[in-house]
Amino acid sequence: MCSLALFPAPLPDGQTTLCESNNELLSGSDAEERPKQVRSTQPQASLGLWFDRTADRNYQLTYGGYVQHHNPILLFKKASYPELICNNSAVSFPPAVPKCLSVSSGCTLALLQWVSSFHGSLFPHLTVSYFFLSDCVVRAFAWHPHTDKFAVALLDDSIKIYNPKSATTPTLKHRLQRSVAAVQWKPLCASALAVACQNCVLVWHVDPCSLSTRPSSGCAQVLSHPGHSPVTSIAWSPSGSLLASASPMDTAVMVWDVAAESCVPLQRVGGGGVTFLSWSPDGSHVLAPTPSALFRVWETRMWTCERWPCVKGRCQSGCWSPDGSRLLFTVQGETVIYALTFTDAPGSPGISTGTSKGPQAAAVVADLSETSFNTAHGDVIVGGEIQSLAWDPRGERLAVLLKGDPQAADRPAIIAVFKTRTNPVFELLPCGFVQGEADAEPRLMQFHPSFQHGALLTVCWSSGRITHVPFYFLSAGVPHFGLSGSPLLPRPQERCSALANQSLFTEMIS
Amino acid sequence: MFSTQQSCWFIRKVICWRAAASIAWAVLLLPPVTAVFVILSRFSLLHPIHTISECFSLLTSAGAIFSLILLCGVILMVGFLNLEYYTVIPTIACSKIALLGQLLHPRQFVNSSAHCIMGIIVAWCCAVTIGGRYETIGYPCTHSDGSTHMCLNEYHLILLLAGAFVGFSHSLLGVIHNMNFVSFHTVQQYKYLRFKGSLPLVVKCSATQALYSVRNYVVVYFFLGYIPKAWICKTLNLHLNSSIHPLDSIAGLLDLSLLYHLWISATFLLFTWYITLLLFRIFVTEVYNFPVQSSFTEEAHQCLPKVLTDKEPMILKFLALQDLALLSQHSPSRRCEVFSLSQPGGHPHNWNAISRECLSLLADLTQRLVAYHDTVATNGRAKSLSTGSERKTSSETSVTSGTEDLMSPRPTLMMKTPASVFARSIVGGPQSPLTAPFTPDLDSPFASPSLRRLTAPVEQCSPWHGTVQSPHVMRRVPKLWSTSTDSQANGSPPPSPASVASPQQQTSKPSLLAQFLQNRKEQVKHFLAKRVLIMYLFNKLPEASSQALFADSQAHIWALEGISYLIQASFSEDQFGVVQTALPSILSCMLVLQEAVDRHFKLPHASSKPLRSASSMGDPTYKTLRFALRATLKTAIYRITTTFGDHLNAVQMSAEHRKRLQQFVEYKD
């Protein structure tokens, strides 16, 4: 199942992806003509930003991803080890092996892994070592969940807020705002912005009507807990009531009641710290991977968790479908995307323990192993390890950031975009590659949370440029939290039928 | 009659069982805790194995079992006191004198003496288990003349007294830190996990608190130790052994092993009590599922809409509101019952009862805020007039009327009007039981005298008796000048009341005698106000009145959450449109409250954050409830505007509210 072979070939050098229109990715050659061309197709999206690295050259590159030394062990399995059966997994015991041997070796493996998981929780700092990935001036990026403004964290630890409706761009600086790793706006709020810093979480209250360009540090709440540093990821609950923060050096996930500035540490044995957090859009689950080959999915009703040991490596990235029922994730060292389906409906009556209803194993939905494309400029190899995933809020486009190889010229980092459908069955279809300028590699990407005309992917490039790539389409289903009263037009069928035979993944209805 | 019966139902069937379960767990945890204590208290580095075997033999001895039974009795008593004294609304003292009053309250006296006695019992058990020189109160000793007597074992005595002291200080600190306040957590967790999560905190708290208590105790014993020593000697006919150093000397107290044993005993004592308290809190605040509607009439009084409207007991109301907030958020099937129509008749009784109760809670808070603002804002204006700073927050009417009042004070008769606003929220107990924490403002002798005089009689003449009021109506009334304790604290003395009173004599002449007495009183007050100690006692603590105002805001937070989630869900789940009819009133209620809260936060001290207290078992969440309420209120309004979007244009509301709502729709607030 080599999915990338079905993709259209990547663009030649100098060409950049502009937008998707009429089921086609449009490209342009010159960066200068880009706004014009976009404007000619659709007038709505022509935001663009450019951060010059030269201005920030004297800042040290301090934060990046993690390297981590763990031997890959086995399968995707949920909590209990001895039953080593997995429908889609890479490894399974051949039938010739006696059953007792397989069971005993499985138990030994489980025991080994259990013991090794203690290693991570006792010495979380040993499993994580930093390497300098972020050569990008933009450290973090966040769209406001309801409006068109966004916050950008720069290498010098300042945060700028851009709002197309206002002339001022407030710059947030704070004494404690060091090595910013993530920013996120509070949902259902106009002003609150959470910032993950070295030693604390800052919650800025930036009055949208204020004309001040430098809000005072009195506008920021400081949330800190001893031993909880460096904070590298934060996630607001979609209802805006709670904030979760995590650190790869701390085994506990902190759930903050921001107004009261109190926190509840959620601690479980095993795995070490928590590398990132992702709250499902319906608010029912939180994904919390650890630096070892284990990730947890917290259920937010009673805050219990499911343990998911991985086959190889740690969980690299994950994203939730808009209805919160499906989790896509990738694993370090593998080139596939896995999916987990959470069948227990959010808010089912009573208290669901998740042990009986939850999924038993992850399914592979896409294989992004290396594929070479013949282009005019020679072969280009695309594919490999996956850096991050992003799913648009309507559940129609899935962007996959492929790491590539920074040393090899013919293996660029690239964003592959899939068309997805979640209803009635989960489907993946190829859409195309999003490319930037010749030397620029994509670093961060995020979909606009409330783009009216389809999906808007914002990409932060290594060159310091931030571009917005709109995908214009008519939504197939009624948007989940959509508010436009008029019924939506049916999706144009002509291209779908052409692509129907290229479907990459279709869930089988059992 | 009916409601008391019902409250009995809940207390009897739920709260008592929960308390019993928590005490049972505390008793079950006692043996392991005692074992750890025994090991820690007798541990010697040189003979570890010997210590452990000794500990085992000790733990199985009859004496240990007897003391364990005694300790169980203490735990039962502590659990009972927890159940008796717990509260879901903290009592916040607005001045030092109020705090003193709380400490000297007879109820508190009973509590303190009970803790003292229990402390002595626990300390006796500790003394017996530690053994050695602590074991008995008397020992035979030989005098210099060769005769044998029973002598007082001061080590035993010092441990017993330490227990009493720690128990007493625990009970006093309980009042100061509001330790009997039971707070509800926003993050729901299973009881075991919550207990496990708070255990390290409890250990830390008890250890540090024991350290402080022992430090204080040692100082007290050094100075006053001879009194109980002499008394015990006299009553028990014991002698003092003159050959041994007395312990209330520097040399006697600088015994490290003694200090360690005092500390470990105090830690053990506090730990067992804190564990009991923690378990009680965890059990009592557990979510209780009320049925939304019941098909049996005899269970009708246990259903959520009925239970919500109950005033007493408070815990029932809080648990009902918590359940409402959770069901509106997580449970579609129960939401469906809320939106359903009654079978014969087709009335949305459930929704009506729930929304009415939530709205009345919110309106009550609005009233309280407006009344408070009106009493305080006059002082703020008096100040702002002198400093020239501008107050945009209050409407022009109140500003002008305020200045008017200052320039030409009205006769006492006219002062009734604003007081009635104030009075209703205080005296109107039956209508608003939640306003209790507001009263401390009145207790201060420095509160406006006219206010206090008028609180009682005017309640009946108030035209708004028991109705929901918009603050616009209230703000139109003329304002009253009141002595500000706040401004005195800030060092800007308000104009002398005597000078204000003199023009009164010209405008209208009530009885001269009353006027004279009034003047005298003011003079005495003024005289007293200059004394440092008096001022120290009577000064309002900063932000305490603000905390007191929002002391029960957890209820409002749940009401806001519950109603906003229900409205959000109604967009897709409400088949009969029952929510739509209430939407205008809910929105306007929220907007009015939002305005009142905004105004409140512009007062001095209102937006200052409380200091993060160090480790203490007292739950400090009540100090930040006002921030939580503000955040929840905004989120609730945004939740409604995001869900309904442009449809809100079809909702009927006043132009002013529409303008404010538009700001929310555009995410500009």
Side-chain angles (χ1 to χ4, degrees), chain B residues 54 87 128 190 202 582 597 635 640:
Chain B
E54 204 179 46
T87 172
V128 169
Y190 288 112
V202 172
V597 168
T635 309
I640 296 175

Side-chain angles (χ1 to χ4, degrees), chain B residues 597-647:
Chain B
V597 168
D598 271 357
R599 283 172 71 207
H600 182 82
F601 272 91
K602 284 178 178 144
L603 295 175
H605 296 306
S607 53
S608 58
K609 294 267 173 190
L611 287 174
R612 309 245 81 207
S613 61
S615 62
S616 136
M617 271 302 281
D619 205 323
T621 43
Y622 65 88
K623 292 180 182 164
T624 48
L625 271 177
R626 57 183 187 281
F627 301 105
L629 179 94
R630 181 173 63 169
T632 315
L633 179 58
K634 271 197 179 174
T635 309
I637 299 178
Y638 274 121
R639 189 169 292 135
I640 296 175
T641 53
T642 334
T643 313
F644 283 83
D646 292 337
H647 300 300

Side-chain angles (χ1 to χ4, degrees), chain A residues 14 132 143 166 221 324 395 473 492 509:
Chain A
F132 302 130
W143 277 107
S166 116
Q221 265 179 291
F473 56 86
I509 305 172

Side-chain angles (χ1 to χ4, degrees), chain A residues 90-160:
Chain A
V91 186
S92 61
F93 293 104
V97 177
K99 194 172 162 64
C100 60
L101 190 62
S102 74
V103 167
S104 64
S105 60
C107 289
T108 319
L109 266 175
L111 194 69
L112 271 177
Q113 197 170 8
W114 186 67
V115 170
S116 77
S117 72
F118 276 109
H119 172 77
S121 68
L122 292 177
F123 315 102
H125 51 284
L126 291 186
T127 58
V128 178
S129 61
Y130 289 80
F131 78 104
F132 302 130
L133 173 97
S134 180
D135 55 342
C136 180
V137 186
V138 179
R139 278 261 184 86
F141 178 92
W143 277 107
H144 189 275
H146 308 284
T147 58
D148 278 337
K149 67 180 169 186
F150 57 87
V152 178
L154 300 178
L155 204 55
D156 64 343
D157 288 329
S158 66
I159 294 175
K160 285 182 184 290

